[in-house]
Amino acid sequence: MYRSHNCGELNASHINTEVTLAGWVQKSRDKGFMSWVDLRDRYGITQLIFDSERTDGKVFEKARSLGREFVIQVRGKVIERESKNPNMATGDIEILVSELNVLNEALLPPFTIEDETDGGEELRMKYRYIDIRRNPVKNSLLFRHKVAMEVRKYLSAQDFCEVETPYLIKSTPEGARDFVVPSRMNPGQFYALPQSPQTFKQLLMVGGMDKYFQIVKCFRDEDLRADRQPEFTQIDCEMAFVEQEDILDTFEGLTRHLLKEIKGVDVEKFPRMTYDHAMKTYGNDKPDIRFKMEFGELNQVAQHKEFSVFNAAELVVGIAAPNCGEMTRKEIDALIEWVKRPQIGASGMVYVKCNADGTFKSSVDKFYDQDDLQKWAEATQAKAGDMIFILSGNANKTRTQLSALRMELATRLGLRKPDEFAPLWVVDFPLLEFDEESGRYHAMHHPFTSPKPEDMSLLETNPGKVRANAYDMVLNGNEIGGGSIRIHDKETQALMFKYLGFTEEEARNQFGFLMDAFQFGAPPHGGLAFGLDRLVAILGGQETIRDFIAFPKNNSGRDVMIDAPSNINPVQLNELQIKLDLKL
């Protein structure tokens, strides 16, 4: 038996108990006649004491030679600690060691295994197995486990059945790029790793499973950001014989359950917001509604003077930053430079100070009087003491730029509180979006999303106006889940493929199996997928997902720990009948 107890459970009730512990040496302190070692495992830290009078001489000398991260086993008696540590669960006791076994020596780690470490991110990712020993990473992984268990508990209680779907599937042309896997047994042919189990969960509905879920790995070969990984995990769900409201009610319930069980937070309201309203009011389809700063459109009250910048703009729009009226010119100039960065792309910014006496001071006083600025304040809901920031230009670009500024200001003002949760549903997305490069429409979500029944006639005359029977759940400015009611009959699905530019032959080659299944009694069905990585990060009070993944990739999609991706042995390439032309 390597251990009788873990390093986090012993307390004063165990005094005089003989115990066996095992773990890693966190640190040691040697006073010559007495040594202390902090022994760490996943559950906590226990202090060991080696005394020249009470400890065997050989054991005492061995203890003095222990290095950081040595793996050891000790036996000894629990005794009361003279200098208690109220900050430790085991701070009332220590172990007077009688036997010490070194199970494995260790090199000096490349960074300190402490909550606040001296290791940079790339170094810690290279030695991720060591980084996991640190409390912040370890606790993030335990937190992820807790969330996953609560998901399974809730969905199982709602009669959902967890079903595994294949990882080696067929490549499809929609969505992000696939990761492809060559088949040795079928030379020249390839599997693809799934971007989602979309078609399989629909087939499970055809199969009568009724309520399906799966916590599943998905893969997308796309550009990376801090909150994206080439492989990620979804809580994937599908239900038969449902309408949109049934699905929204079910997953509001799941979200309420997680917030209550994980964070102790009760959430009553899940507001509904149309896609058009979200874009017009917040500049994006995943607004953070923990704070206001709603957009105020100013075309009618700003394009009647001689200010050519506004007059030439498709959209003039502003936001009121609360209690920012005392910002210095230096601070304002810094914000102007922030929006002019290439990542944002604005050409400039106009500002208006809302003074406490009801007057206004702006950067365009030459063109606008106090009555004009009063109207701007009304349109942006600005109050005395606020600052109005205004951008102008192409409507879509300007809304995106102002949305980024809104989030940046909220961060600087401390309005994005990690312990505050504001979920909402965004509904009525466009079914299709036009791609200028390819000159055709693409599915905004995927080609299996059902149009709103009342918009079906617009497919022929005005496809860009057709709304999807689709919905996203947004939490604190992040899309944490999305789904739709699916098409469940062959004729409508064939029509959708037609409007997406598929020939009948292309549609048959890619999705013939699904079209065939629809002919054997497909029920009305729909579903939703949560991004588990992102959901866990938000519940954990973080913006990025990396520390909630055991072995993440870096921003280049590389695993620097195992050095992947890597070259393949020429023998393997030959077996796969693949020839590489690196000049391409």
PDB file of all heavy atoms in Angstrom, residues 473-500:
ATOM      1  N   MET A 473     -27.260  30.468 -27.788  1.00  0.00           N
ATOM      2  CA  MET A 473     -27.242  30.922 -26.406  1.00  0.00           C
ATOM      3  C   MET A 473     -25.955  31.702 -26.177  1.00  0.00           C
ATOM      4  O   MET A 473     -24.861  31.242 -26.515  1.00  0.00           O
ATOM      5  CB  MET A 473     -27.327  29.776 -25.403  1.00  0.00           C
ATOM      6  CG  MET A 473     -27.341  30.299 -23.961  1.00  0.00           C
ATOM      7  SD  MET A 473     -27.468  29.026 -22.702  1.00  0.00           S
ATOM      8  CE  MET A 473     -29.208  28.636 -22.817  1.00  0.00           C
ATOM      9  N   VAL A 474     -26.117  32.895 -25.619  1.00  0.00           N
ATOM     10  CA  VAL A 474     -25.000  33.792 -25.355  1.00  0.00           C
ATOM     11  C   VAL A 474     -24.887  33.985 -23.849  1.00  0.00           C
ATOM     12  O   VAL A 474     -25.900  34.145 -23.161  1.00  0.00           O
ATOM     13  CB  VAL A 474     -25.214  35.153 -26.065  1.00  0.00           C
ATOM     14  CG1 VAL A 474     -24.100  36.129 -25.722  1.00  0.00           C
ATOM     15  CG2 VAL A 474     -25.308  34.959 -27.577  1.00  0.00           C
ATOM     16  N   LEU A 475     -23.664  33.943 -23.350  1.00  0.00           N
ATOM     17  CA  LEU A 475     -23.423  34.160 -21.924  1.00  0.00           C
ATOM     18  C   LEU A 475     -22.238  35.095 -21.765  1.00  0.00           C
ATOM     19  O   LEU A 475     -21.116  34.783 -22.195  1.00  0.00           O
ATOM     20  CB  LEU A 475     -23.144  32.828 -21.214  1.00  0.00           C
ATOM     21  CG  LEU A 475     -22.926  32.886 -19.703  1.00  0.00           C
ATOM     22  CD1 LEU A 475     -24.167  33.426 -18.991  1.00  0.00           C
ATOM     23  CD2 LEU A 475     -22.559  31.512 -19.153  1.00  0.00           C
ATOM     24  N   ASN A 476     -22.501  36.286 -21.219  1.00  0.00           N
ATOM     25  CA  ASN A 476     -21.441  37.260 -20.929  1.00  0.00           C
ATOM     26  C   ASN A 476     -20.609  37.616 -22.157  1.00  0.00           C
ATOM     27  O   ASN A 476     -19.385  37.702 -22.103  1.00  0.00           O
ATOM     28  CB  ASN A 476     -20.534  36.741 -19.817  1.00  0.00           C
ATOM     29  CG  ASN A 476     -21.259  36.604 -18.495  1.00  0.00           C
ATOM     30  OD1 ASN A 476     -22.453  36.872 -18.398  1.00  0.00           O
ATOM     31  ND2 ASN A 476     -20.551  36.182 -17.469  1.00  0.00           N
ATOM     32  N   GLY A 477     -21.292  37.795 -23.292  1.00  0.00           N
ATOM     33  CA  GLY A 477     -20.591  38.219 -24.502  1.00  0.00           C
ATOM     34  C   GLY A 477     -19.920  37.106 -25.261  1.00  0.00           C
ATOM     35  O   GLY A 477     -19.121  37.364 -26.161  1.00  0.00           O
ATOM     36  N   ASN A 478     -20.232  35.868 -24.934  1.00  0.00           N
ATOM     37  CA  ASN A 478     -19.663  34.709 -25.617  1.00  0.00           C
ATOM     38  C   ASN A 478     -20.782  33.789 -26.085  1.00  0.00           C
ATOM     39  O   ASN A 478     -21.710  33.498 -25.328  1.00  0.00           O
ATOM     40  CB  ASN A 478     -18.742  33.912 -24.683  1.00  0.00           C
ATOM     41  CG  ASN A 478     -17.508  34.677 -24.280  1.00  0.00           C
ATOM     42  OD1 ASN A 478     -16.483  34.633 -24.948  1.00  0.00           O
ATOM     43  ND2 ASN A 478     -17.598  35.398 -23.173  1.00  0.00           N
ATOM     44  N   GLU A 479     -20.674  33.326 -27.321  1.00  0.00           N
ATOM     45  CA  GLU A 479     -21.600  32.308 -27.784  1.00  0.00           C
ATOM     46  C   GLU A 479     -21.172  30.987 -27.146  1.00  0.00           C
ATOM     47  O   GLU A 479     -20.088  30.483 -27.422  1.00  0.00           O
ATOM     48  CB  GLU A 479     -21.554  32.183 -29.303  1.00  0.00           C
ATOM     49  CG  GLU A 479     -22.410  31.063 -29.843  1.00  0.00           C
ATOM     50  CD  GLU A 479     -21.989  30.585 -31.222  1.00  0.00           C
ATOM     51  OE1 GLU A 479     -21.411  31.392 -31.978  1.00  0.00           O
ATOM     52  OE2 GLU A 479     -22.200  29.403 -31.532  1.00  0.00           O
ATOM     53  N   ILE A 480     -22.021  30.435 -26.297  1.00  0.00           N
ATOM     54  CA  ILE A 480     -21.669  29.170 -25.644  1.00  0.00           C
ATOM     55  C   ILE A 480     -22.398  27.989 -26.260  1.00  0.00           C
ATOM     56  O   ILE A 480     -22.054  26.837 -25.989  1.00  0.00           O
ATOM     57  CB  ILE A 480     -21.922  29.208 -24.126  1.00  0.00           C
ATOM     58  CG1 ILE A 480     -23.402  29.464 -23.816  1.00  0.00           C
ATOM     59  CG2 ILE A 480     -21.038  30.243 -23.451  1.00  0.00           C
ATOM     60  CD1 ILE A 480     -23.776  29.186 -22.380  1.00  0.00           C
ATOM     61  N   GLY A 481     -23.407  28.276 -27.081  1.00  0.00           N
ATOM     62  CA  GLY A 481     -24.138  27.187 -27.704  1.00  0.00           C
ATOM     63  C   GLY A 481     -24.961  27.684 -28.867  1.00  0.00           C
ATOM     64  O   GLY A 481     -25.329  28.858 -28.930  1.00  0.00           O
ATOM     65  N   GLY A 482     -25.225  26.799 -29.800  1.00  0.00           N
ATOM     66  CA  GLY A 482     -26.044  27.166 -30.941  1.00  0.00           C
ATOM     67  C   GLY A 482     -26.700  25.943 -31.538  1.00  0.00           C
ATOM     68  O   GLY A 482     -26.201  24.822 -31.395  1.00  0.00           O
ATOM     69  N   GLY A 483     -27.831  26.162 -32.190  1.00  0.00           N
ATOM     70  CA  GLY A 483     -28.507  25.045 -32.810  1.00  0.00           C
ATOM     71  C   GLY A 483     -29.649  25.520 -33.668  1.00  0.00           C
ATOM     72  O   GLY A 483     -29.810  26.714 -33.940  1.00  0.00           O
ATOM     73  N   SER A 484     -30.474  24.569 -34.081  1.00  0.00           N
ATOM     74  CA  SER A 484     -31.585  24.903 -34.970  1.00  0.00           C
ATOM     75  C   SER A 484     -32.579  23.759 -35.011  1.00  0.00           C
ATOM     76  O   SER A 484     -32.279  22.633 -34.599  1.00  0.00           O
ATOM     77  CB  SER A 484     -31.065  25.179 -36.386  1.00  0.00           C
ATOM     78  OG  SER A 484     -30.528  23.994 -36.964  1.00  0.00           O
ATOM     79  N   ILE A 485     -33.765  24.075 -35.531  1.00  0.00           N
ATOM     80  CA  ILE A 485     -34.681  23.051 -35.987  1.00  0.00           C
ATOM     81  C   ILE A 485     -34.160  22.596 -37.348  1.00  0.00           C
ATOM     82  O   ILE A 485     -33.785  23.416 -38.181  1.00  0.00           O
ATOM     83  CB  ILE A 485     -36.119  23.593 -36.100  1.00  0.00           C
ATOM     84  CG1 ILE A 485     -36.614  24.043 -34.724  1.00  0.00           C
ATOM     85  CG2 ILE A 485     -37.041  22.541 -36.712  1.00  0.00           C
ATOM     86  CD1 ILE A 485     -36.726  22.928 -33.701  1.00  0.00           C
ATOM     87  N   ARG A 486     -34.125  21.272 -37.558  1.00  0.00           N
ATOM     88  CA  ARG A 486     -33.523  20.745 -38.783  1.00  0.00           C
ATOM     89  C   ARG A 486     -34.582  20.514 -39.870  1.00  0.00           C
ATOM     90  O   ARG A 486     -35.771  20.361 -39.576  1.00  0.00           O
ATOM     91  CB  ARG A 486     -32.811  19.412 -38.511  1.00  0.00           C
ATOM     92  CG  ARG A 486     -32.109  19.284 -37.196  1.00  0.00           C
ATOM     93  CD  ARG A 486     -31.023  20.298 -36.961  1.00  0.00           C
ATOM     94  NE  ARG A 486     -30.296  19.983 -35.731  1.00  0.00           N
ATOM     95  CZ  ARG A 486     -29.391  20.759 -35.178  1.00  0.00           C
ATOM     96  NH1 ARG A 486     -29.068  21.917 -35.730  1.00  0.00           N
ATOM     97  NH2 ARG A 486     -28.766  20.409 -34.054  1.00  0.00           N
ATOM     98  N   ILE A 487     -34.116  20.492 -41.083  1.00  0.00           N
ATOM     99  CA  ILE A 487     -34.941  20.011 -42.186  1.00  0.00           C
ATOM    100  C   ILE A 487     -35.102  18.498 -42.010  1.00  0.00           C
ATOM    101  O   ILE A 487     -34.125  17.805 -41.716  1.00  0.00           O
ATOM    102  CB  ILE A 487     -34.275  20.324 -43.539  1.00  0.00           C
ATOM    103  CG1 ILE A 487     -34.173  21.845 -43.731  1.00  0.00           C
ATOM    104  CG2 ILE A 487     -35.030  19.674 -44.691  1.00  0.00           C
ATOM    105  CD1 ILE A 487     -33.290  22.253 -44.890  1.00  0.00           C
ATOM    106  N   HIS A 488     -36.318  17.995 -42.182  1.00  0.00           N
ATOM    107  CA  HIS A 488     -36.517  16.558 -41.960  1.00  0.00           C
ATOM    108  C   HIS A 488     -37.209  15.862 -43.138  1.00  0.00           C
ATOM    109  O   HIS A 488     -37.627  14.712 -43.002  1.00  0.00           O
ATOM    110  CB  HIS A 488     -37.300  16.295 -40.664  1.00  0.00           C
ATOM    111  CG  HIS A 488     -38.731  16.736 -40.692  1.00  0.00           C
ATOM    112  ND1 HIS A 488     -39.103  18.045 -40.484  1.00  0.00           N
ATOM    113  CD2 HIS A 488     -39.880  16.043 -40.910  1.00  0.00           C
ATOM    114  CE1 HIS A 488     -40.408  18.151 -40.552  1.00  0.00           C
ATOM    115  NE2 HIS A 488     -40.911  16.934 -40.820  1.00  0.00           N
ATOM    116  N   ASP A 489     -37.331  16.561 -44.276  1.00  0.00           N
ATOM    117  CA  ASP A 489     -37.900  15.899 -45.447  1.00  0.00           C
ATOM    118  C   ASP A 489     -36.989  16.109 -46.658  1.00  0.00           C
ATOM    119  O   ASP A 489     -36.301  17.135 -46.779  1.00  0.00           O
ATOM    120  CB  ASP A 489     -39.308  16.431 -45.750  1.00  0.00           C
ATOM    121  CG  ASP A 489     -39.304  17.904 -46.131  1.00  0.00           C
ATOM    122  OD1 ASP A 489     -39.274  18.750 -45.215  1.00  0.00           O
ATOM    123  OD2 ASP A 489     -39.300  18.206 -47.334  1.00  0.00           O
ATOM    124  N   LYS A 490     -36.988  15.145 -47.537  1.00  0.00           N
ATOM    125  CA  LYS A 490     -36.062  15.115 -48.667  1.00  0.00           C
ATOM    126  C   LYS A 490     -36.266  16.296 -49.600  1.00  0.00           C
ATOM    127  O   LYS A 490     -35.288  16.891 -50.092  1.00  0.00           O
ATOM    128  CB  LYS A 490     -36.216  13.800 -49.433  1.00  0.00           C
ATOM    129  CG  LYS A 490     -35.271  13.665 -50.620  1.00  0.00           C
ATOM    130  CD  LYS A 490     -35.468  12.354 -51.347  1.00  0.00           C
ATOM    131  CE  LYS A 490     -34.526  12.251 -52.556  1.00  0.00           C
ATOM    132  NZ  LYS A 490     -34.725  10.986 -53.283  1.00  0.00           N
ATOM    133  N   GLU A 491     -37.503  16.681 -49.859  1.00  0.00           N
ATOM    134  CA  GLU A 491     -37.770  17.731 -50.832  1.00  0.00           C
ATOM    135  C   GLU A 491     -37.216  19.079 -50.369  1.00  0.00           C
ATOM    136  O   GLU A 491     -36.563  19.790 -51.133  1.00  0.00           O
ATOM    137  CB  GLU A 491     -39.287  17.845 -51.083  1.00  0.00           C
ATOM    138  CG  GLU A 491     -39.896  16.679 -51.838  1.00  0.00           C
ATOM    139  CD  GLU A 491     -39.996  15.413 -51.003  1.00  0.00           C
ATOM    140  OE1 GLU A 491     -40.016  15.519 -49.736  1.00  0.00           O
ATOM    141  OE2 GLU A 491     -40.044  14.318 -51.591  1.00  0.00           O
ATOM    142  N   THR A 492     -37.464  19.419 -49.113  1.00  0.00           N
ATOM    143  CA  THR A 492     -36.954  20.690 -48.597  1.00  0.00           C
ATOM    144  C   THR A 492     -35.425  20.678 -48.548  1.00  0.00           C
ATOM    145  O   THR A 492     -34.776  21.681 -48.859  1.00  0.00           O
ATOM    146  CB  THR A 492     -37.527  20.980 -47.200  1.00  0.00           C
ATOM    147  OG1 THR A 492     -38.944  20.936 -47.257  1.00  0.00           O
ATOM    148  CG2 THR A 492     -37.081  22.344 -46.698  1.00  0.00           C
ATOM    149  N   GLN A 493     -34.839  19.540 -48.154  1.00  0.00           N
ATOM    150  CA  GLN A 493     -33.382  19.453 -48.105  1.00  0.00           C
ATOM    151  C   GLN A 493     -32.777  19.598 -49.495  1.00  0.00           C
ATOM    152  O   GLN A 493     -31.754  20.268 -49.684  1.00  0.00           O
ATOM    153  CB  GLN A 493     -32.956  18.137 -47.469  1.00  0.00           C
ATOM    154  CG  GLN A 493     -31.456  18.052 -47.192  1.00  0.00           C
ATOM    155  CD  GLN A 493     -30.991  19.066 -46.162  1.00  0.00           C
ATOM    156  OE1 GLN A 493     -31.250  18.929 -44.977  1.00  0.00           O
ATOM    157  NE2 GLN A 493     -30.311  20.108 -46.610  1.00  0.00           N
ATOM    158  N   ALA A 494     -33.420  18.984 -50.518  1.00  0.00           N
ATOM    159  CA  ALA A 494     -32.936  19.112 -51.892  1.00  0.00           C
ATOM    160  C   ALA A 494     -33.031  20.563 -52.352  1.00  0.00           C
ATOM    161  O   ALA A 494     -32.133  21.071 -53.045  1.00  0.00           O
ATOM    162  CB  ALA A 494     -33.739  18.198 -52.815  1.00  0.00           C
ATOM    163  N   LEU A 495     -34.110  21.248 -51.969  1.00  0.00           N
ATOM    164  CA  LEU A 495     -34.272  22.662 -52.319  1.00  0.00           C
ATOM    165  C   LEU A 495     -33.177  23.508 -51.675  1.00  0.00           C
ATOM    166  O   LEU A 495     -32.618  24.421 -52.297  1.00  0.00           O
ATOM    167  CB  LEU A 495     -35.655  23.136 -51.874  1.00  0.00           C
ATOM    168  CG  LEU A 495     -36.085  24.531 -52.325  1.00  0.00           C
ATOM    169  CD1 LEU A 495     -36.205  24.593 -53.846  1.00  0.00           C
ATOM    170  CD2 LEU A 495     -37.413  24.907 -51.663  1.00  0.00           C
ATOM    171  N   MET A 496     -32.855  23.203 -50.407  1.00  0.00           N
ATOM    172  CA  MET A 496     -31.794  23.940 -49.716  1.00  0.00           C
ATOM    173  C   MET A 496     -30.456  23.743 -50.420  1.00  0.00           C
ATOM    174  O   MET A 496     -29.706  24.705 -50.647  1.00  0.00           O
ATOM    175  CB  MET A 496     -31.699  23.479 -48.264  1.00  0.00           C
ATOM    176  CG  MET A 496     -30.574  24.154 -47.477  1.00  0.00           C
ATOM    177  SD  MET A 496     -30.742  25.939 -47.386  1.00  0.00           S
ATOM    178  CE  MET A 496     -32.162  26.062 -46.322  1.00  0.00           C
ATOM    179  N   PHE A 497     -30.123  22.501 -50.787  1.00  0.00           N
ATOM    180  CA  PHE A 497     -28.874  22.261 -51.504  1.00  0.00           C
ATOM    181  C   PHE A 497     -28.834  23.045 -52.815  1.00  0.00           C
ATOM    182  O   PHE A 497     -27.791  23.570 -53.211  1.00  0.00           O
ATOM    183  CB  PHE A 497     -28.708  20.762 -51.778  1.00  0.00           C
ATOM    184  CG  PHE A 497     -28.352  19.953 -50.568  1.00  0.00           C
ATOM    185  CD1 PHE A 497     -28.883  18.677 -50.372  1.00  0.00           C
ATOM    186  CD2 PHE A 497     -27.484  20.439 -49.605  1.00  0.00           C
ATOM    187  CE1 PHE A 497     -28.553  17.929 -49.257  1.00  0.00           C
ATOM    188  CE2 PHE A 497     -27.146  19.702 -48.479  1.00  0.00           C
ATOM    189  CZ  PHE A 497     -27.695  18.438 -48.310  1.00  0.00           C
ATOM    190  N   LYS A 498     -29.976  23.137 -53.490  1.00  0.00           N
ATOM    191  CA  LYS A 498     -30.044  23.881 -54.752  1.00  0.00           C
ATOM    192  C   LYS A 498     -29.678  25.341 -54.529  1.00  0.00           C
ATOM    193  O   LYS A 498     -28.876  25.917 -55.270  1.00  0.00           O
ATOM    194  CB  LYS A 498     -31.457  23.775 -55.328  1.00  0.00           C
ATOM    195  CG  LYS A 498     -31.702  24.668 -56.540  1.00  0.00           C
ATOM    196  CD  LYS A 498     -33.172  24.643 -56.954  1.00  0.00           C
ATOM    197  CE  LYS A 498     -33.460  25.685 -58.032  1.00  0.00           C
ATOM    198  NZ  LYS A 498     -34.905  25.722 -58.383  1.00  0.00           N
ATOM    199  N   TYR A 499     -30.251  25.979 -53.499  1.00  0.00           N
ATOM    200  CA  TYR A 499     -29.980  27.395 -53.252  1.00  0.00           C
ATOM    201  C   TYR A 499     -28.570  27.633 -52.718  1.00  0.00           C
ATOM    202  O   TYR A 499     -28.070  28.755 -52.766  1.00  0.00           O
ATOM    203  CB  TYR A 499     -31.030  27.973 -52.309  1.00  0.00           C
ATOM    204  CG  TYR A 499     -32.359  28.176 -52.985  1.00  0.00           C
ATOM    205  CD1 TYR A 499     -33.449  27.390 -52.668  1.00  0.00           C
ATOM    206  CD2 TYR A 499     -32.510  29.137 -53.986  1.00  0.00           C
ATOM    207  CE1 TYR A 499     -34.666  27.553 -53.305  1.00  0.00           C
ATOM    208  CE2 TYR A 499     -33.720  29.304 -54.633  1.00  0.00           C
ATOM    209  CZ  TYR A 499     -34.797  28.515 -54.301  1.00  0.00           C
ATOM    210  OH  TYR A 499     -35.992  28.675 -54.941  1.00  0.00           O
ATOM    211  N   LEU A 500     -27.945  26.580 -52.227  1.00  0.00           N
ATOM    212  CA  LEU A 500     -26.555  26.701 -51.783  1.00  0.00           C
ATOM    213  C   LEU A 500     -25.576  26.426 -52.919  1.00  0.00           C
ATOM    214  O   LEU A 500     -24.361  26.405 -52.699  1.00  0.00           O
ATOM    215  CB  LEU A 500     -26.288  25.747 -50.610  1.00  0.00           C
ATOM    216  CG  LEU A 500     -27.003  26.105 -49.302  1.00  0.00           C
ATOM    217  CD1 LEU A 500     -26.820  25.004 -48.275  1.00  0.00           C
ATOM    218  CD2 LEU A 500     -26.495  27.432 -48.755  1.00  0.00           C
TER     219      LEU A 500
END
